[in-house]
Protein backbone atom coordinates (compact mmCIF):
# COMPACT_ATOMS: atom_id res chain seq x y z
CA UNK A 1 0.00 0.00 0.00
CA UNK A 2 1.10 3.52 -0.64
CA UNK A 3 0.41 6.29 1.81
CA UNK A 4 -0.44 9.66 0.37
CA UNK A 5 -0.11 12.59 2.72
CA UNK A 6 -1.98 15.65 1.50
CA UNK A 7 -0.76 18.92 2.93
CA UNK A 8 -3.35 21.58 2.30
CA UNK A 9 -2.98 25.34 2.27
CA UNK A 10 -4.44 25.31 5.78
CA UNK A 11 -1.67 24.49 8.25
CA UNK A 12 -2.43 21.83 10.83
CA UNK A 13 -5.08 20.12 8.69
CA UNK A 14 -3.23 17.31 6.84
CA UNK A 15 -5.26 14.46 5.39
CA UNK A 16 -3.94 10.89 5.17
CA UNK A 17 -5.18 8.38 2.64
CA UNK A 18 -4.25 4.71 2.32
CA UNK A 19 -4.55 3.77 -1.33
CA UNK A 20 -3.58 0.42 -2.84
CA UNK A 21 -1.03 0.58 -5.65
CA UNK A 22 -3.64 -0.82 -8.09
CA UNK A 23 -5.87 2.21 -7.49
CA UNK A 24 -2.91 4.50 -8.08
CA UNK A 25 -2.23 2.78 -11.41
CA UNK A 26 -5.89 3.12 -12.38
CA UNK A 27 -5.84 6.81 -11.49
CA UNK A 28 -2.73 7.26 -13.62
CA UNK A 29 -4.42 5.56 -16.60
CA UNK A 30 -7.62 7.58 -16.27
CA UNK A 31 -5.64 10.78 -15.82
CA UNK A 32 -3.65 10.09 -18.97
CA UNK A 33 -6.82 9.35 -20.96
CA UNK A 34 -8.55 12.46 -19.66
CA UNK A 35 -5.67 14.69 -20.69
CA UNK A 36 -4.21 14.97 -17.18
CA UNK A 37 -0.64 14.41 -16.18
CA UNK A 38 -1.26 10.70 -15.63
CA UNK A 39 0.85 10.88 -12.49
CA UNK A 40 -1.16 10.09 -9.33
CA UNK A 41 1.38 12.10 -7.36
CA UNK A 42 0.44 15.15 -9.46
CA UNK A 43 -3.40 15.22 -9.60
CA UNK A 44 -4.87 18.03 -11.69
CA UNK A 45 -7.93 18.78 -9.56
CA UNK A 46 -6.30 19.75 -6.23
CA UNK A 47 -6.46 23.32 -4.96
CA UNK A 48 -3.45 25.50 -5.62
CA UNK A 49 -0.81 25.09 -2.91
CA UNK A 50 -1.70 21.48 -2.08
CA UNK A 51 1.28 19.15 -1.85
CA UNK A 52 1.00 15.43 -2.47
CA UNK A 53 3.76 13.21 -1.08
CA UNK A 54 4.02 9.54 -2.04
CA UNK A 55 5.71 7.59 0.74
CA UNK A 56 7.29 4.30 -0.35
CA UNK A 57 7.96 1.57 2.24
CA UNK A 58 11.61 1.25 3.15
CA UNK A 59 13.34 -1.83 1.79
CA UNK A 60 14.91 -4.07 4.36
CA UNK A 61 17.66 -6.60 3.85
CA UNK A 62 17.44 -8.05 7.32
CA UNK A 63 16.15 -11.54 8.03
CA UNK A 64 13.10 -10.02 9.71
CA UNK A 65 11.96 -8.21 6.57
CA UNK A 66 8.22 -7.64 6.34
CA UNK A 67 8.32 -8.48 2.62
CA UNK A 68 9.14 -12.15 2.00
CA UNK A 69 11.82 -12.73 -0.62
CA UNK A 70 11.59 -15.93 -2.60
CA UNK A 71 15.03 -17.00 -3.73
CA UNK A 72 14.09 -20.09 -5.74
CA UNK A 73 11.29 -22.58 -6.07
CA UNK A 74 11.72 -25.88 -4.24
CA UNK A 75 11.88 -29.05 -6.27
CA UNK A 76 10.74 -32.57 -5.47
CA UNK A 77 10.53 -35.92 -7.19
CA UNK A 78 7.18 -36.43 -8.90
CA UNK A 79 5.60 -39.67 -7.66
CA UNK A 80 4.61 -42.30 -10.23
CA UNK A 81 0.83 -42.58 -9.77
CA UNK A 82 -0.16 -44.36 -13.00
CA UNK A 83 -2.49 -47.25 -12.12
CA UNK A 84 -3.71 -45.69 -8.84
CA UNK A 85 -7.26 -44.54 -8.30
CA UNK A 86 -7.49 -40.82 -8.88
CA UNK A 87 -8.05 -39.87 -5.23
CA UNK A 88 -4.99 -41.85 -4.04
CA UNK A 89 -2.96 -40.26 -6.83
CA UNK A 90 -3.97 -36.77 -5.70
CA UNK A 91 -3.10 -37.66 -2.10
CA UNK A 92 0.33 -38.94 -3.18
CA UNK A 93 1.02 -35.78 -5.19
CA UNK A 94 0.08 -33.51 -2.29
CA UNK A 95 2.17 -35.58 0.14
CA UNK A 96 5.15 -34.99 -2.19
CA UNK A 97 4.45 -31.22 -2.19
CA UNK A 98 2.63 -30.85 -5.51
CA UNK A 99 -0.64 -28.92 -5.09
CA UNK A 100 -1.15 -27.58 -8.62
CA UNK A 101 -3.07 -30.57 -9.92
CA UNK A 102 -5.04 -30.71 -13.15
CA UNK A 103 -7.35 -33.62 -13.93
CA UNK A 104 -8.32 -34.71 -17.43
CA UNK A 105 -10.75 -37.31 -18.78
CA UNK A 106 -8.32 -39.49 -20.77
CA UNK A 107 -11.13 -40.71 -23.08
CA UNK A 108 -11.44 -37.23 -24.57
CA UNK A 109 -15.11 -36.95 -23.58
CA UNK A 110 -14.41 -33.96 -21.31
CA UNK A 111 -16.19 -35.46 -18.32
CA UNK A 112 -15.60 -34.04 -14.85
CA UNK A 113 -14.08 -36.43 -12.33
CA UNK A 114 -16.80 -35.98 -9.71
CA UNK A 115 -16.20 -39.21 -7.77
CA UNK A 116 -12.39 -39.52 -7.82
CA UNK A 117 -12.33 -43.00 -6.32
CA UNK A 118 -13.83 -44.74 -9.38
CA UNK A 119 -11.32 -43.26 -11.84
CA UNK A 120 -7.88 -44.77 -12.58
CA UNK A 121 -4.86 -42.67 -13.60
CA UNK A 122 -3.63 -43.86 -17.03
CA UNK A 123 -0.98 -41.18 -17.64
CA UNK A 124 0.61 -38.19 -15.96
CA UNK A 125 2.67 -35.18 -16.91
CA UNK A 126 5.39 -34.70 -15.82
CA UNK A 127 6.09 -38.41 -15.59
CA UNK A 128 6.89 -40.10 -12.31
CA UNK A 129 10.47 -40.15 -11.07
CA UNK A 130 11.57 -36.77 -12.47
CA UNK A 131 12.46 -33.76 -10.34
CA UNK A 132 10.15 -30.78 -10.86
CA UNK A 133 9.34 -27.49 -9.19
CA UNK A 134 6.64 -27.96 -6.55
CA UNK A 135 5.00 -24.88 -8.11
CA UNK A 136 4.51 -26.69 -11.45
CA UNK A 137 1.15 -28.08 -12.55
CA UNK A 138 0.86 -31.86 -12.62
CA UNK A 139 -1.72 -33.24 -15.06
CA UNK A 140 -3.38 -36.53 -14.19
CA UNK A 141 -5.24 -38.18 -17.08
CA UNK A 142 -7.77 -40.74 -15.85
CA UNK A 143 -10.45 -43.15 -17.10
CA UNK A 144 -13.40 -44.59 -15.20
CA UNK A 145 -12.83 -48.09 -13.85
CA UNK A 146 -13.70 -50.69 -16.47
CA UNK A 147 -13.20 -48.42 -19.49
Amino acid sequence: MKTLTLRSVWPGKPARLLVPAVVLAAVASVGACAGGTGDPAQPDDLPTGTTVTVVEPAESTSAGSATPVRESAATATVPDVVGMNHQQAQDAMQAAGFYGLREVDATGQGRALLWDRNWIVVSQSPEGGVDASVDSTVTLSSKKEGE
Side-chain angles (χ1 to χ4, degrees):
M1 295 185 105
K2 294 187 178 216
T3 302
L4 296 179
T5 304
L6 302 178
R7 293 188 185 97
S8 69
V9 293
W10 300 282
K13 302 275 185 184
R16 293 194 76 129
L17 301 172
L18 293 176
V19 182
V22 174
V23 173
L24 291 174
V27 169
S29 297
V30 170
C33 293
T37 64
D39 183 359
Q42 300 292 326
D44 295 330
D45 58 348
L46 293 175
T48 304
T50 301
T51 303
V52 177
T53 305
V54 178
V55 180
E56 296 286 341
E59 291 189 27
S60 174
T61 57
S62 67
S65 173
T67 305
V69 177
R70 186 175 196 161
E71 293 181 14
S72 65
T75 60
T77 302
V78 178
D80 184 2
V81 297
V82 173
M84 290 184 178
N85 83 42
H86 194 82
Q87 182 61 56
Q88 290 172 336
Q90 288 177 324
D91 294 344
M93 288 294 174
Q94 291 174 355
F98 296 94
Y99 292 94
L101 303 176
R102 179 175 168 248
E103 52 193 36
V104 175
D105 177 358
T107 66
Q109 297 177 51
R111 298 174 294 182
L113 284 69
L114 298 178
W115 183 254
D116 294 348
R117 288 169 177 78
N118 66 345
W119 289 75
I120 303 296
V121 178
V122 295
S123 67
Q124 69 182 75
S125 176
E127 64 185 38
V130 301
D131 288 338
S133 167
V134 294
D135 293 336
S136 62
T137 299
V138 177
T139 301
L140 302 175
S141 297
S142 300
K143 290 183 180 182
K144 277 192 169 183
E145 288 179 355
E147 290 186 336

